[in-house]
Amino acid sequence: MSRKKLQDKANIKVLAAAKKAGIDTVWDRFEAQQPQCGFGMLGICCRMCNMGPCRIDPFGEGPSKGACGATADTIAARDMARATAAGSASHSDHARDLALTLIALGKGQTQGYSIRDPIKLKIIAGEFGIDIKDKKEIDIARQLGEKVLEEFGKQEGELILTKRAPKKQQDIWRSMNITPRGIDREVVETLSRTHEGMDQDYKNLVQTTMRVALADGWGGSMIATELSDILFGSPQPIRARANLGVLKEDEVNIIIHGHEPTLSDVIVTAAQDKELLELAKSEGAKGINVAGICCTANEILVRRGLPVAGNFLQQELAILTGAIELMVVDIQCIMPGVAQAAKHFHTKVISTSPKAAIPGVEGIAFHEDKALDTAKEIIKLAVENYKRRDRSRVNIPKESMELVAGFTAENIFYHLGGRFRGSYKPLNENIINGRIRGVAGVVGCDNPKMGSGAYHVALVKELIKNDCLVVQTGCAAIECGKEGLLRPETAYEMAGDGLKEVCKAVGIPPVLHAGSCVDNTRILIACCEMVKEGGIGTSLDELPIAGAALEWMAEKAMAIGWYFVASGALVVFGTPMRVTGSQALTDYITKDLEQTVGGKWAFIENPIDAAHAMLAHIDKKRKALKLQPMLNKQAFPVGV
Ligand code: SF4
Ligand code: MSK
């Protein structure tokens, strides 16, 4: 599988210069990996013990079992379960750190933090059974942090936030024994069950996969979103710009990259410090420009309108513009290639998490009690590095696009209700009357194996053309932002007539940016609100919805996909998870599972085909609900 042609002009320009200078990037290294290992892609290579590695011959001519007797079904299912557990662990560990920050804030041991959404603090504290009467916010914060931490170590019972799901989902999960008990317990049990000589039944392994994923969706990730809102403020729709063109020729450019808002939020604050701005001026810069990459970008974009320099595949390219003084990274999605690219330029890379050390990169450990001081120290390093920039090598593409981001389950509620009616009613009514076909989540990473971002754009265009409201998160949202799809005008330019009419009446874009990867849980909550509003089903699996992460890359995407499937949704990946070496497992998760959990997987690379599969699924749900025919008769597949 070789890489597809790039479409983003900014990327093309920077890559051309990199090629000339002999600097490799993710696309070159991906190309050098071709052909990639077929056994690995099919999920039939096992390294679970030292009798192996073993592999199964997919053509039936060589071994059909590993040394221990494991079949393709066992091997592929174990690998899938482990990867999902890793994804779930990543999101959940991020949530754990936020809980620890909340406790530290409650104890007065932080610098630069406050409770920015006290209303949400009280709502969530109530959900966790905390008596908030006559209590100071700071004490509620500490108690909530401690209560949330219990969710990680719980051994029995059910995760508290699973109660947010419709009753039918909760009943299904209980009947299948997939209701998550404690977040850490589910991760540990999945690792234990996938040890050699343990769980060998692929269906049983799918069960643990779903439970560990649900521990993410209705546990770790959901907690991360809620605590981030409390600490850093609940997003509101906000205008910003995205793509490498947000970098400035005449300012100190700092990139924040990774996932946690904990550090990046204080960096943005510290960049406004008068002394540091003066220092920048004395170094000959007009100012300090902070821009984001990946989900850290999304976290700060939706709350503070931070410019976005790019998504996952653009992390090296930002450095290759020659205009970055400093890139500060925390956790997840930081390619080793970043440090390698930085060696060719004056760019300093600073890693701040002891959990993510990078060879050759300076580490400045970040602690909440000195957050602002640390942020200032990092910015000072950037400012002092400005004079080392080689102006003859600066190559900032001009491309950047305006966008609107920051839609949440709570504020979509408000916007869709229009100015005077804060309710999901207009959304449900417009789905019922056939103006809006349904809602699609288009999320996840960008991947050189697929469209390098372009698949998201093609998919979203096809969905909105056919009257599907699209909700996005992660790097997919950044990609569509760069292509102009997150502007309200997109409704007039590209949406089907029905969706256009609704967007016009309510004043929203047809594509809503809801935040970072952990914020996929905002989509779960919005779906729960749609069920509560009534008229379009009594459970999540009955809703006319579908999801896609065509360019998925991280194990986190598997956890996300699995918690949506286990919650009743169709989820489309562009390339399959590593399961197709087992026909039985593939059939089970792409067909049979729908009978029990209501959701299922599909693997479709072509974005237009993927859109049509999602639309057909949505139409199937519309038909089951006996909703009115679509008003837009031109839409796919006409008149359902
Ligand atoms: Fe081979 Fe079985 Fe060991 Fe896997 S667990 S490496 S299939 S012997
Ligand atoms: S950052 S997980 S590349 S979306 Fe969340 Fe982007 Fe995927 Fe990382």
Side-chain angles (χ1 to χ4, degrees):
M1 183 174 273
S2 61
R3 78 189 208 197
K4 307 289 181 299
K5 210 163 169 269
L6 290 182
Q7 290 189 12
D8 185 330
K9 285 190 186 130
N11 291 0
I12 293 168
K13 182 176 175 195
V14 179
L15 276 173
K19 198 169 176 129
K20 235 174 165 179
I23 304 170
D24 66 21
T25 65
V26 60
W27 287 277
D28 304 305
R29 297 187 297 267
F30 172 74
E31 202 74 34
Q33 285 292 329
Q34 303 310 313
Q36 284 173 307
C37 171
F39 296 100
M41 279 205 261
L42 297 172
I44 45 177
C45 164
C46 182
R47 295 174 299 131
M48 294 298 180
C49 89
N50 197 31
M51 287 194 285
C54 300
R55 51 193 196 181
I56 306 297
D57 185 343
F59 305 109
E61 287 162 11
S64 61
K65 290 173 188 153
C68 65
T71 62
D73 301 343
T74 303
I75 291 172
R78 273 196 308 218
D79 182 67
M80 178 189 71
R82 276 211 170 180
T84 308
S88 199
S90 299
H91 286 146
S92 301
D93 207 38
H94 167 169
R96 186 197 324 269
D97 283 344
L98 287 163
L100 292 170
T101 303
L102 198 62
I103 294 171
L105 175 68
K107 289 182 175 168
Q109 295 168 346
T110 59
Q111 187 191 47
Y113 298 116
S114 59
I115 294 158
R116 295 223 189 111
D117 191 340
I119 296 173
K120 191 163 223 185
L121 170 72
K122 288 174 188 157
I123 293 171
I124 307 297
E127 266 186 279
F128 276 81
I130 296 166
D131 179 9
I132 57 171
K133 203 164 160 250
D134 300 329
K135 277 200 189 129
K136 285 191 199 151
E137 283 169 6
I138 211 79
D139 294 328
I140 300 172
R142 182 183 46 73
Q143 263 190 287
L144 177 60
E146 287 166 356
K147 197 80 190 155
V148 160
L149 272 193
E150 288 174 15
E151 292 292 272
F152 290 83
K154 227 157 73 175
Q155 302 304 318
E156 292 299 340
E158 300 179 346
L159 289 184
I160 288 171
L161 295 180
T162 58
K163 302 279 178 293
R164 290 178 168 187
K167 184 176 176 304
K168 184 174 159 195
Q169 259 64 47
Q170 294 186 43
D171 289 344
I172 291 171
W173 297 340
R174 282 186 201 116
S175 72
M176 295 182 73
N177 193 16
I178 58 172
T179 307
R181 298 154 294 187
I183 297 166
D184 291 351
R185 175 166 184 188
E186 303 313 344
V187 174
V188 170
E189 187 169 313
T190 306
L191 293 182
S192 147
R193 278 168 72 160
T194 50
H195 188 271
E196 68 72 31
M198 280 289 287
D199 212 345
Q200 296 157 32
D201 181 313
Y202 72 89
K203 290 188 183 172
N204 220 36
L205 284 157
V206 168
Q207 181 216 30
T208 195
T209 304
M210 289 196 285
R211 191 163 53 194
V212 78
L214 288 169
D216 178 10
W218 300 87
S221 278
M222 200 171 273
I223 288 170
T225 293
E226 301 296 23
L227 298 194
S228 296
D229 284 355
I230 292 168
L231 282 163
F232 305 109
S234 290
Q236 289 298 328
I238 191 164
R239 284 184 185 274
R241 298 194 76 84
N243 213 342
L244 293 168
V246 303
L247 300 173
K248 305 256 174 74
E249 288 253 12
D250 50 5
E251 294 193 20
V252 174
N253 288 307
I254 298 173
I255 295 284
I256 49 179
H257 173 22
H259 275 77
E260 291 177 334
T262 327
L263 166 70
S264 39
D265 185 82
V266 277
I267 293 258
V268 173
T269 303
Q272 291 152 6
D273 181 88
K274 271 194 188 144
E275 273 178 35
L276 287 167
L277 287 167
E278 281 307 317
L279 182 66
K281 277 196 188 130
S282 72
E283 296 283 349
K286 284 204 176 131
I288 300 171
N289 180 38
V290 182
I293 297 260
C294 277
C295 277
T296 259
N298 285 323
E299 292 277 358
I300 311 298
L301 161 72
V302 296
R303 298 190 169 91
R304 302 180 74 166
L306 183 87
V308 178
N311 44 11
F312 175 69
L313 290 177
Q314 289 180 295
Q315 55 189 288
E316 294 169 285
L317 302 189
I319 290 174
L320 298 180
T321 63
I324 306 297
E325 275 55 58
L326 188 141
M327 180 183 275
V328 56
V329 302
D330 50 39
I331 55 162
Q332 300 168 17
C333 300
I334 299 139
M335 284 191 210
V338 157
Q340 293 151 16
K343 286 206 180 89
H344 296 274
F345 293 87
H346 73 302
T347 308
K348 264 185 187 299
V349 182
I350 303 287
S351 93
T352 54
S353 171
K355 295 179 203 169
I358 303 171
V361 161
E362 187 180 341
I364 298 184
F366 174 74
H367 300 290
E368 285 83 357
D369 58 338
K370 290 186 290 201
L372 204 53
D373 292 344
T374 310
K376 285 183 186 170
E377 181 190 342
I378 290 171
I379 291 178
K380 192 160 175 255
L381 286 174
V383 172
E384 289 167 351
N385 203 22
Y386 182 70
K387 56 179 165 297
R388 293 182 57 236
R389 189 193 288 183
D390 179 350
R391 272 150 191 82
S392 68
R393 295 180 71 201
V394 170
N395 178 27
I396 303 175
K398 63 176 185 330
E399 284 77 16
S400 81
M401 179 59 76
E402 64 170 344
L403 57 85
V404 179
F407 293 91
T408 66
E410 295 88 346
N411 71 31
I412 294 173
F413 202 91
Y414 173 80
H415 284 274
L416 286 165
R419 252 159 240 180
F420 308 107
R421 293 166 64 206
S423 141
Y424 272 73
K425 202 169 176 193
L427 172 62
N428 285 24
E429 274 176 358
N430 281 304
I431 290 175
I432 292 166
N433 68 26
R435 275 192 187 82
I436 296 178
R437 183 181 294 256
V439 181
V442 178
V443 307
C445 326
D446 44 334
N447 188 330
K449 188 186 263 186
M450 288 161 262
S452 293
Y455 283 9
H456 298 304
V457 177
L459 172 67
V460 167
K461 283 184 179 170
E462 189 65 15
L463 288 169
I464 61 174
K465 186 175 112 189
N466 289 291
D467 298 296
C468 246
L469 181 66
V470 174
V471 186
Q472 293 209 274
T473 61
C475 291
I478 296 176
E479 188 63 31
C480 290
K482 291 190 303 175
E483 292 297 319
L485 300 183
L486 305 185
R487 298 167 305 129
E489 297 83 345
T490 303
Y492 299 91
E493 296 159 6
M494 297 178 202
D497 288 345
L499 179 61
K500 188 190 300 175
E501 203 180 311
V502 176
C503 289
K504 197 175 147 193
V506 184
I508 54 167
V511 188
L512 305 171
H513 187 326
S516 66
C517 306
V518 293
D519 292 334
N520 282 306
T521 57
R522 296 192 197 279
I523 303 177
L524 285 180
I525 302 303
C527 290
C528 293
E529 294 296 340
M530 287 162 71
V531 170
K532 269 191 223 156
E533 186 62 53
I536 51 172
T538 55
S539 59
L540 300 179
D541 57 293
E542 290 176 26
L543 292 174
I545 57 166
L550 293 190
E551 298 203 21
W552 76 284
M553 167 280 301
E555 289 165 319
K556 292 175 288 174
M558 289 174 65
I560 295 165
W562 264 117
Y563 71 65
F564 271 100
V565 166
S567 300
L570 165 75
V571 174
V572 187
F573 270 11
T575 49
M577 288 186 288
R578 296 179 296 270
V579 295
T580 50
S582 162
Q583 194 59 53
L585 175 61
T586 306
D587 287 347
Y588 185 57
I589 66 173
T590 58
K591 293 180 191 147
D592 311 349
L593 212 53
E594 195 175 19
Q595 308 308 317
T596 48
V597 290
K600 64 176 178 180
W601 286 93
F603 306 128
I604 306 168
E605 189 178 339
N606 181 297
I608 304 301
D609 293 346
H612 291 177
M614 293 165 79
L615 293 167
H617 182 80
I618 285 170
D619 286 350
K620 184 173 89 177
K621 299 291 174 183
R622 292 185 63 86
K623 203 170 170 189
L625 290 164
K626 299 191 173 54
L627 303 185
Q628 292 165 32
M630 290 300 294
L631 290 179
N632 177 5
K633 299 293 177 208
Q634 305 308 313
F636 169 92
V638 187
V640 172

